[in-house]
Amino acid sequence: MSRGERRAPELEVIARGESEAVVFKPAGLSSERPASASAPLDSLVVRAAAQFGWPDARLPHLLDRPTRGLVVISRDAASAARHSVEIREGAWTKWYIARIPTSGGGDVAQHARDLVGPHKAYLRREGSRAAVVRSGGG
């Protein structure tokens, strides 16, 4: 590392096996490798490759840049392919937890109960955050 260059913070490891790791992805960090050489060289998979010594690290699933949460990182293409098959076959259950503000008072407890269960929401990026919008992005 050259003088003045900062090292990216290490990923928080939740679990780690021989061919995969579960890590916490912070909001604002891209999941995928940079698309071009001119792009910043920091991303979840780049950090994982360096931190775990897995030069061929892959992601069987992604979280968008504004989203934070748990991500599985595969050591190599074979491990990622195995996880991708599991996902396609419905062996994984994905959970999304959203912070939804309430406005204008009312019964907050009832509002929370109404939110429990499966819901469909559409997101639009607003700066570094995502906002829930009606279908069609409006």
Side-chain angles (χ1 to χ4, degrees), residues 72-128:
V72 173
I73 300 183
S74 297
R75 179 184 193 118
D76 53 32
S79 175
R82 186 175 66 254
H83 290 304
S84 294
V85 168
E86 292 171 350
I87 293 168
R88 222 178 5 264
E89 292 177 347
W92 289 27
T93 301
K94 295 181 183 181
W95 289 84
Y96 296 91
I97 300 171
R99 181 176 43 191
I100 301 173
T102 58
S103 60
D107 185 352
V108 175
Q110 182 59 48
H111 180 68
R113 284 191 294 278
D114 292 343
L115 292 173
V116 173
H119 294 272
K120 184 179 278 190
Y122 300 89
L123 301 177
R124 178 181 63 219
R125 182 174 292 157
E126 292 180 356
S128 63

Side-chain angles (χ1 to χ4, degrees), residues 13-106:
V13 179
I14 307 304
R16 182 173 172 191
E18 186 177 313
S19 61
E20 64 270 324
V22 177
V23 301
F24 179 80
K25 184 193 95 57
L29 179 65
S30 175
S31 292
E32 299 179 284
R33 294 183 194 280
S36 70
S38 62
L41 296 177
D42 190 23
S43 73
L44 181 71
V45 74
V46 167
R47 286 186 191 182
Q51 186 171 331
F52 304 136
W54 295 351
D56 196 28
R58 305 286 176 97
L59 300 171
H61 69 107
L62 306 173
L63 286 179
D64 293 336
R65 180 187 302 265
T67 308
R68 65 181 177 187
L70 301 180
V71 176
V72 173
I73 300 183
S74 297
R75 179 184 193 118
D76 53 32
S79 175
R82 186 175 66 254
H83 290 304
S84 294
V85 168
E86 292 171 350
I87 293 168
R88 222 178 5 264
E89 292 177 347
W92 289 27
T93 301
K94 295 181 183 181
W95 289 84
Y96 296 91
I97 300 171
R99 181 176 43 191
I100 301 173
T102 58
S103 60

